[in-house]
Amino acid sequence: MHKPATSLSHAALTRPWCLRRGMLLAALLLTPGICAAASSSVDSIITSIDQGQHQSAERAIAAALANTRVDAATRAALAFERERMRRILLDFTLDESALKAQLRKKIPDLNDAEFARWQAHGLFESQTIDGRVLYFNRAASNLFRLSAEARTRRSEQAPMRDGPMETANAHHREILAAATAEHARGLAPRKLEVTQTLSVHADAVPAGEVVRAWIPYPRALPGQQEQIRFIESTPARAVIAPESALQRTAYLERKAEAGKPTEFSIRYALIVSAQAHVIDVDKVVAATITPELAPFVAERPPHIVFSESLRLFSRQIVGDEKNPWRLAQKLYAAVDAIPWAGAREYSTISNISDYALRAGHADCGQQTLLLMTLLRLNGIPSRWQSGMVYSDDDDYWNLHDWGQLYIAPYGWIPMDVTTGRLHSEDPRIAGFYLGGLDAYRIAFNDDYGRDFVPAKTHFRSETVDLQRGEAEWSGGNLYFDQWDYNFTWQVSPAGQ
């Protein structure tokens, strides 16, 4: 059931996830003889899949691949759309009876009327695939994130588990106490030692075959994370990607053994620091869009697209406001108001910012891409960061995405719209995460959907982010259901 993706050439597969819609169509226009038909066909296939017409899409993919004139880039994109359908069905596994059975574990006396009401309000993420309604496998747990009524109906009341930095605390006060107009970065530093592991399941790869693994590795970022020191890896001789890699990794190889998991690990240390930028709105001016800033106000299909629905949403939020900082505050608040819920795999979504706008909920990466798109639409440069968040003890760690925006004359400053506005009577703490960043996160990525060094040969499991890692063998990609990952750490104030 969980077979690897089809093996294709390295050239065809280094960026199959980017060759969607606008970018794919642009690539096809460079290929004589097949341009119009191929571009129309692929775009139609993507739309069919998004509409749940998988059988129709499969017939179209098979017909297109049978055409010997179709070029390698198009074949790779078509093969990925076939893989995307497989992944969607791994995320959407529940019929109505199965979803109700999950809900009744928390609400034993659930009745059909309230289920129907919650469904009518869009609280259960679903897809109609070839006429069959299938629900997202996290729809039950997401309901309690999205509905106060549903939370009160649980037979056992328990608070939602959130990270320690999602509540105003002493660390935020420590950062603000250290911040001045001249000293906004490198605050409240923490010394961190990390071990990350990736373990491919026993017999997921035939014995004797080489498994290739990429484990996330931090970039040096002045005033944010510094003094990065590689300690060791298993197996030895890890290949650390250069600092220029925007999604940086440690690359390892190991032969699979029969009946045993194939395990990889890296250990390293660094100093992580916080930031707190004090913005005087009266000093803010529109940024001069230099060639260096131009990419950060541009569309970047498929996930940053200035659609008509997004333009309308922006106009409703922004109104007549012209000051870039006040614009950013309005857009940040609007995206922060979208409730958090567990997300389907990003590789299954054809346009993430559009999805976050219309789904009624979003997770951190989806909210971040939506905010980035809205900021760029309004002429404010924005860019991506992501990695891992953790705590002072070994009780909490999680994947997390956030970003940065450019506010002149202050430059690049952080934004974390998912942690969002904190509950505090102190406005500096309440608004901390628009312009501030805590020292309990490590950034692996300064962009999304970028190539690895060394590059993967096969499809990526995560086509946007890089926090868990990636793995493959000569037979194809190893998807998330074929391996496990872990993150362990020790953190202490940098002076200790």
Side-chain angles (χ1 to χ4, degrees):
M1 178 177 177
H2 306 318
K3 62 182 180 181
T6 303
S7 175
L8 296 173
S9 72
H10 170 76
L13 288 177
T14 51
R15 292 189 182 181
W17 53 91
C18 294
L19 297 176
R20 298 267 198 89
R21 297 190 185 275
M23 293 180 72
L24 174 58
L25 304 187
L28 291 173
L29 291 175
L30 301 176
T31 306
I34 64 168
C35 304
S39 64
S40 175
S41 174
V42 173
D43 201 43
S44 176
I45 287 166
I46 293 170
T47 299
S48 293
I49 295 171
D50 288 346
Q51 293 175 347
Q53 299 168 4
H54 286 202
Q55 292 178 1
S56 174
E58 174 56 38
R59 288 193 296 269
I61 290 169
L65 291 175
N67 184 348
T68 57
R69 299 176 63 202
V70 172
D71 67 293
T74 308
R75 288 182 176 277
L78 290 168
F80 183 78
E81 291 307 316
R82 177 177 278 163
E83 168 69 1
R84 186 162 75 100
M85 288 190 287
R86 187 187 76 88
R87 295 180 182 187
I88 288 170
L89 291 173
L90 293 177
D91 275 354
F92 290 82
T93 58
L94 306 175
D95 61 14
E96 183 173 313
S97 62
L99 176 57
K100 285 180 176 178
Q102 285 193 2
L103 288 170
R104 288 193 171 105
K105 294 177 182 178
K106 300 291 185 180
I107 308 175
D109 60 343
L110 175 76
N111 61 69
D112 290 342
E114 62 187 345
F115 181 92
R117 184 172 67 254
W118 292 334
Q119 186 174 37
H121 283 92
L123 299 180
F124 301 126
E125 185 169 2
S126 66
Q127 290 210 352
T128 302
I129 298 177
D130 296 326
R132 185 185 180 203
V133 178
L134 293 173
Y135 294 90
F136 179 39
N137 56 24
R138 294 177 69 178
S141 59
N142 279 347
L143 173 67
F144 302 113
R145 287 279 181 182
L146 302 175
S147 170
E149 177 194 9
R151 287 195 294 275
T152 64
R153 291 279 287 114
R154 292 177 298 175
S155 58
E156 295 182 8
Q157 293 297 313
M160 293 294 177
R161 179 171 168 78
D162 294 316
M165 292 300 136
E166 295 180 58
T167 302
N169 61 50
H171 181 57
H172 299 117
R173 294 189 290 273
E174 175 191 10
I175 296 165
L176 292 172
T180 66
E182 295 77 26
H183 187 204
R185 302 176 189 269
L187 309 173
R190 297 299 194 261
K191 181 169 60 176
L192 185 67
E193 186 172 302
V194 172
T195 299
Q196 292 168 232
T197 62
L198 190 157
S199 179
V200 177
H201 297 170
D203 302 320
V205 172
E209 292 283 351
V210 173
V211 180
R212 308 173 70 206
W214 290 257
I215 298 178
Y217 192 78
R219 302 184 76 227
L221 303 170
Q224 183 176 343
Q225 47 195 44
E226 300 168 298
Q227 299 181 39
I228 300 169
R229 178 172 59 89
F230 179 79
I231 299 173
E232 63 180 352
S233 69
T234 304
R237 297 185 295 279
V239 177
I240 307 298
E243 288 280 358
S244 58
L246 294 175
Q247 293 195 303
R248 198 178 187 200
T249 60
Y251 171 77
L252 297 157
E253 293 184 357
R254 189 171 220 173
K255 286 187 177 181
E257 297 182 45
K260 297 181 180 180
T262 309
E263 298 181 338
F264 306 88
S265 71
I266 60 171
R267 187 161 68 96
Y268 57 89
L270 74 164
I271 301 293
V272 180
S273 299
Q275 301 180 39
H277 297 262
V278 180
I279 306 298
D280 183 341
V281 67
D282 294 325
K283 293 182 180 179
V284 170
V285 297
T288 299
I289 305 303
T290 62
E292 291 76 19
L293 286 178
F296 302 108
V297 291
E299 293 181 274
R300 185 179 158 192
H303 299 305
I304 297 182
V305 177
F306 302 157
S307 65
E308 284 306 312
S309 58
L310 189 127
R311 290 178 187 274
L312 174 61
F313 181 76
S314 175
R315 289 194 297 269
Q316 292 170 338
I317 300 304
V318 167
D320 297 326
E321 185 58 66
K322 302 299 181 186
N323 182 284
W325 182 241
R326 291 196 179 99
L327 273 170
Q329 289 176 313
K330 286 189 170 188
L331 295 170
Y332 180 93
V335 177
D336 186 24
I338 298 172
W340 185 93
R344 53 190 280 198
E345 289 296 340
Y346 288 1
S347 65
T348 69
I349 304 172
S350 62
N351 181 337
I352 289 175
S353 61
D354 177 72
Y355 170 88
L357 183 64
R358 61 181 171 77
H361 57 80
D363 81 341
C364 53
Q366 295 164 350
Q367 286 179 308
T368 299
L369 278 166
L370 175 57
L371 181 55
M372 285 172 58
T373 307
L374 289 164
L375 289 166
R376 292 186 183 193
L377 174 64
N378 285 278
I380 301 173
S382 64
R383 65 189 185 189
W384 175 274
Q385 269 196 346
S386 67
M388 201 75 73
V389 291
Y390 42 86
S391 58
D392 273 325
D393 53 37
D394 60 358
D395 187 49
Y396 177 85
W397 61 282
N398 205 353
L399 317 179
H400 193 50
D401 306 328
W402 62 97
Q404 297 176 329
L405 70 162
Y406 188 92
I407 296 293
Y410 297 94
W412 288 105
I413 64 173
M415 61 183 190
D416 184 342
V417 69
T418 306
T419 303
R421 191 167 182 84
L422 302 175
H423 294 290
S424 175
E425 294 181 359
D426 184 338
R428 300 176 306 158
I429 290 179
F432 177 83
Y433 283 102
L434 182 57
L437 206 64
D438 59 69
Y440 287 88
R441 63 184 69 207
I442 182 171
F444 301 133
N445 308 297
D446 275 327
D447 203 353
Y448 65 91
R450 294 302 186 186
D451 290 341
F452 294 166
V453 180
K456 280 201 78 177
T457 301
H458 301 286
F459 298 133
R460 274 172 60 169
S461 295
E462 170 55 271
T463 58
V464 176
D465 223 342
L466 171 66
Q467 294 147 310
R468 292 167 282 188
E470 293 279 338
E472 67 179 24
W473 66 293
S474 63
N477 178 59
L478 293 167
Y479 197 52
F480 293 127
D481 55 346
Q482 296 173 292
W483 51 271
D484 302 306
Y485 69 100
N486 198 19
F487 177 93
T488 59
W489 72 99
Q490 292 179 325
V491 61
S492 60
Q496 295 184 4

